[in-house]
Amino acid sequence: MDGNSSETKEKIFNTAIALFHTKGYKGTTIRAIAASAKVNSANISYYFNGKQGLLEACFIRFFEPYIACLEEEVQNLSEEGLKRAAFRILHFQSENHLLSRFVWREVTVDSQIVREILSTYFMKERYLLKKLAKAWCGPGIQAGKLNFLMIQLKSMLSMPYLNSQYIREVWGMQPEEPYFAEKYGKSVAEWLDSIRQNAGAQPEPLLLETAF
Amino acid sequence: MDGNSSETKEKIFNTAIALFHTKGYKGTTIRAIAASAKVNSANISYYFNGKQGLLEACFIRFFEPYIACLEEEVQNLSEEGLKRAAFRILHFQSENHLLSRFVWREVTVDSQIVREILSTYFMKERYLLKKLAKAWCGPGIQAGKLNFLMIQLKSMLSMPYLNSQYIREVWGMQPEEPYFAEKYGKSVAEWLDSIRQNAGAQPEPLLLETAF
């Protein structure tokens, strides 16, 4: 093994992401990853168990911290949790923009591994999103309506990172910059405010006159 | 040439869409399209000038009617134009769900043809969307804010058709059904109402007392 082992592993992973990103998963060979990372192909087998293993590593390294953004907010459940999770997800994608773009693109494919992701990470995401959305909008919100709102939120959060080239070339913005995540996040937060108002949640806690 | 010529052309096109959809563009050969459509490969060259020509045909057949949804509303410009265009785009995608999913997926790739689409159809779309959004929100809306809103709208309209498998398996809804387009469209329309109110446009025309 050449060099420090965890360093080699990271080098392979980052090279693979860059190549998957430009040449696609199918268009990238183990040989090309080895040549570009300047490691022996045996190292890739050793650390990742080949190309399929690298793909799985991409999904795990994306979805574990992604789900954690939601999970931590659910564990410390408060009204503002949904909004904070939205900002965290935007910043996480901005910091990992190559990985994000690759992963969002790969999950649009019909494959065994994508079906597994749909039934694990995405089902968990749905559960956590609903928890946060109920804390945000109040328990009175209708279930069907909540589902559509969560699909809309998901769309808004992922699209600029999946279609980063479109955002750059058509709108002249850089989704990988923290500035974009912050400004765009504010626009998403305004929408969250409006759905909360429409759902009938109170913008401020009110003192209720009780006892008569 | 076998059979009626425009019938053969349609058969080739629809077979190609179905194969691109399941096997991807790169994973589909002219030979496979010819076999599945039960035509001679020479027919594919004749009508589409090969696989690249089929890809271009997919983009043209998607973006021409897609842009028309916006263009017709701009030509008969009214306040409600943006909302009507949103519903039309959802229904158009629902009626052409295989083509939509394939096209939305392909435009996430870096390639010469995608760069051409970004600089033609997507620039035109941006221009038309802004016109409609200004008519909807009133001229007072700040340009930077408008850009973010249009990115959000674009995300909401395309995501269920790009990620149709996700919508089906995680949320149990069928994006290809007109019922989905209608219900989901209502949720998008509510968002449009809220951005209009935030932009300060009047929900109802007001009679202004003038002259003093």
Side-chain angles (χ1 to χ4, degrees):
Chain A
M1 300 292 134
D2 34 351
N4 178 293
S5 75
S6 81
E7 226 175 71
T8 307
K9 194 176 173 183
E10 282 315 292
K11 197 161 62 175
I12 295 168
F13 185 76
N14 292 327
T15 306
I17 290 293
L19 287 174
F20 287 166
H21 183 258
T22 50
K23 303 199 174 279
Y25 175 70
K26 281 193 185 167
T28 303
T29 60
I30 285 291
R31 190 189 291 256
I33 299 169
S36 179
K38 297 190 180 69
V39 300
N40 193 296
S41 325
N43 278 313
I44 305 179
S45 303
Y46 176 77
Y47 287 116
F48 293 101
N49 202 14
K51 210 170 105 174
Q52 172 79 8
L54 268 164
L55 181 62
E56 285 167 18
C58 287
F59 286 136
I60 291 167
R61 290 201 189 189
F62 180 81
F63 282 112
E64 291 291 333
Y66 176 93
I67 293 290
C69 295
L70 297 164
E71 209 155 34
E72 284 163 28
E73 294 299 339
V74 168
Q75 272 156 10
N76 311 299
L77 198 61
S78 77
E79 276 183 9
E80 297 280 322
L82 185 63
K83 219 182 225 186
R84 275 200 303 270
F87 275 102
R88 288 177 66 172
I89 285 173
L90 289 173
H91 280 287
F92 165 70
Q93 292 178 103
S94 145
E95 287 153 21
N96 298 276
H97 61 104
L98 291 188
L99 180 60
S100 301
R101 185 180 180 193
F102 173 68
V103 166
W104 289 133
R105 184 160 197 276
E106 281 304 306
V107 295
T108 66
V109 181
D110 272 299
S111 69
Q112 183 55 35
I113 190 167
V114 169
R115 276 190 290 274
E116 280 166 24
I117 284 165
L118 288 171
S119 63
T120 53
Y121 289 123
F122 281 134
M123 288 309 283
K124 192 161 186 184
E125 183 198 24
R126 177 191 142 125
Y127 168 81
L128 296 167
L129 273 178
K130 281 191 158 186
K131 282 250 180 198
L132 293 173
K134 277 183 191 160
W136 174 248
C137 295
I141 189 159
Q142 194 224 333
K145 197 169 171 177
L146 193 72
N147 289 352
F148 282 126
L149 294 173
M150 293 304 97
I151 292 172
Q152 284 168 273
L153 178 61
K154 282 267 304 165
S155 311
M156 289 189 212
L157 295 180
S158 61
M159 188 274 226
Y161 298 93
L162 169 64
N163 292 294
S164 49
Q165 194 189 358
Y166 163 77
I167 299 292
R168 268 192 289 274
E169 298 194 11
V170 176
W171 298 92
M173 296 187 242
Q174 314 297 328
E176 66 277 16
E177 287 178 3
Y179 178 77
F180 175 87
E182 203 54 38
K183 286 273 282 183
Y184 183 71
K186 279 192 184 138
S187 189
V188 174
E190 277 182 26
W191 170 73
L192 288 176
D193 288 336
S194 79
I195 66 168
R196 187 164 186 252
Q197 271 170 21
N198 287 341
Q202 299 301 333
E204 298 288 334
L206 291 175
L207 284 173
L208 293 176
E209 304 217 30
T210 49
F212 54 89
Chain B
M1 300 293 134
D2 34 351
N4 177 293
S5 73
S6 82
E7 225 174 72
T8 307
K9 193 176 174 183
E10 283 315 291
K11 198 162 62 176
I12 295 168
F13 184 77
N14 292 327
T15 306
I17 290 294
L19 287 174
F20 288 165
H21 183 258
T22 51
K23 301 197 176 281
Y25 176 69
K26 281 194 183 164
T28 303
T29 60
I30 286 289
R31 190 190 289 258
I33 299 168
S36 179
K38 297 190 180 70
V39 300
N40 193 297
S41 321
N43 277 312
I44 304 179
S45 304
Y46 176 78
Y47 288 116
F48 293 100
N49 201 15
K51 211 170 106 174
Q52 172 80 7
L54 268 165
L55 181 62
E56 283 167 22
C58 288
F59 286 137
I60 291 166
R61 290 203 189 188
F62 180 79
F63 283 112
E64 291 292 333
Y66 176 92
I67 292 289
C69 295
L70 297 164
E71 209 155 36
E72 284 163 28
E73 295 298 340
V74 167
Q75 271 155 11
N76 310 299
L77 198 62
S78 77
E79 278 183 7
E80 297 280 324
L82 185 63
K83 218 182 224 185
R84 275 199 304 269
F87 275 102
R88 287 177 67 173
I89 285 172
L90 289 172
H91 280 287
F92 166 71
Q93 293 178 102
S94 143
E95 286 154 21
N96 299 276
H97 62 102
L98 291 188
L99 180 61
S100 302
R101 186 181 178 190
F102 173 67
V103 167
W104 288 133
R105 184 159 196 277
E106 282 305 304
V107 295
T108 66
V109 181
D110 271 298
S111 69
Q112 183 54 36
I113 190 166
V114 168
R115 277 191 289 273
E116 280 165 25
I117 284 166
L118 288 171
S119 63
T120 52
Y121 289 124
F122 281 133
M123 289 308 283
K124 192 162 186 182
E125 183 198 25
R126 177 191 142 125
Y127 168 81
L128 296 167
L129 272 178
K130 281 192 156 184
K131 281 249 180 200
L132 293 173
K134 277 182 190 160
W136 175 248
C137 294
I141 188 157
Q142 194 225 332
K145 197 169 171 176
L146 193 72
N147 289 352
F148 282 128
L149 294 173
M150 292 306 96
I151 293 172
Q152 285 168 273
L153 178 61
K154 282 267 304 166
S155 312
M156 289 189 225
L157 295 180
S158 60
M159 187 274 227
Y161 297 93
L162 170 64
N163 291 295
S164 48
Q165 195 189 356
Y166 163 77
I167 299 292
R168 267 191 290 274
E169 297 194 13
V170 176
W171 297 94
M173 295 187 241
Q174 315 296 327
E176 67 277 16
E177 287 179 4
Y179 178 75
F180 175 87
E182 204 53 38
K183 286 274 280 184
Y184 182 71
K186 280 193 185 138
S187 190
V188 174
E190 277 181 24
W191 171 78
L192 288 174
D193 288 337
S194 79
I195 65 168
R196 189 164 184 252
Q197 273 170 22
N198 288 342
Q202 299 301 332
E204 300 287 334
L206 292 176
L207 283 174
L208 293 177
E209 302 217 30
T210 48
F212 54 89

